[in-house]
Amino acid sequence: MAMSPYMLIGFIFIILSMYRERTVKPGKLLIIPLLLLWGVSASFQPVYFYSILHVVISGILLLVGLACGFGIGKMVTVRVHPETGKITSRGSLGSVILILVILSLRMAARTWLPESNEMFMAIIHSMFFIPLGTITARNIMLYKAYRRLIAGKVSIQ
């Protein structure tokens, strides 16, 4: 599998952005998964979901993505910034590695899986559900931590 310079730049950007500490914005935690859901749903033709095999594989991969997202969400550090008082989050090395493995597996699936088998084609097309589940679950975990810190912050003042 040849890696283009654009993919390498994308990986570097992902790593750097995961380590950057940023302010948690609850509205943004909902908007990003909805935009991703819209993008995933727009990439499929309705005929794709007429097959029970496609629906089952999509559901399984969505569950895999949710499990990965909950794992990543547990590795993310969420805290009250001491200077500004805002709630911030920062990814860990484990979460960066997990995201990179998920992205690499999706790219590798296109070259490893034979195109003649319907099951393998369904897996390749359903790989979009892994990042959807991952981002959704990660944002759920971030929101829960945000709410917990807000409740503690309000009770202190």
Side-chain angles (χ1 to χ4, degrees), residues 129-142:
F129 287 98
I130 291 177
L132 174 64
T134 302
I135 291 172
T136 302
R138 177 184 170 274
N139 285 358
I140 288 170
M141 296 294 287
L142 272 174

Side-chain angles (χ1 to χ4, degrees), residues 33-82:
L34 288 175
L35 287 174
L36 188 59
L37 177 63
W38 175 73
V40 167
S41 64
S43 68
F44 287 103
Q45 295 178 356
V47 176
Y48 179 78
F49 291 107
Y50 289 155
S51 168
I52 191 72
L53 174 69
H54 293 184
V55 173
V56 169
I57 289 175
S58 297
I60 289 170
L61 292 178
L62 181 63
L63 290 174
V64 167
L66 287 170
C68 291
F70 283 121
I72 289 170
K74 288 184 178 186
M75 290 185 250
V76 172
T77 303
V78 181
R79 68 183 183 105
V80 177
H81 195 276

Side-chain angles (χ1 to χ4, degrees), residues 3-153:
M3 182 177 276
S4 74
Y6 297 112
M7 291 170 45
L8 183 62
I9 291 170
F11 278 149
I12 291 170
F13 178 73
I14 289 170
I15 291 170
L16 292 176
S17 70
M18 295 278 297
Y19 275 128
R20 192 181 84 222
E21 190 168 16
R22 48 195 129 152
T23 304
V24 176
K25 299 175 183 167
K28 189 177 174 185
L29 293 177
L30 177 65
I31 291 171
I32 291 174
L34 288 175
L35 287 174
L36 188 59
L37 177 63
W38 175 73
V40 167
S41 64
S43 68
F44 287 103
Q45 295 178 356
V47 176
Y48 179 78
F49 291 107
Y50 289 155
S51 168
I52 191 72
L53 174 69
H54 293 184
V55 173
V56 169
I57 289 175
S58 297
I60 289 170
L61 292 178
L62 181 63
L63 290 174
V64 167
L66 287 170
C68 291
F70 283 121
I72 289 170
K74 288 184 178 186
M75 290 185 250
V76 172
T77 303
V78 181
R79 68 183 183 105
V80 177
H81 195 276
E83 295 171 2
T84 63
K86 294 182 179 181
I87 297 179
T88 60
S89 70
R90 182 180 194 163
S92 67
L93 181 60
S95 65
V96 171
I97 291 171
L98 192 54
I99 286 285
L100 291 176
V101 166
I102 292 168
L103 289 173
S104 299
L105 282 176
R106 186 183 183 292
M107 290 186 304
R110 288 205 177 268
T111 58
W112 291 346
L113 299 177
E115 293 184 19
S116 59
N117 190 329
E118 181 187 353
M119 184 169 167
F120 292 131
M121 287 305 293
I123 291 171
I124 289 171
H125 291 300
S126 297
M127 291 291 269
F128 284 117
F129 287 98
I130 291 177
L132 174 64
T134 302
I135 291 172
T136 302
R138 177 184 170 274
N139 285 358
I140 288 170
M141 296 294 287
L142 272 174
Y143 185 74
K144 287 172 72 175
Y146 174 83
R147 294 296 301 166
R148 189 172 44 248
L149 284 175
I150 286 293
K153 190 174 161 184

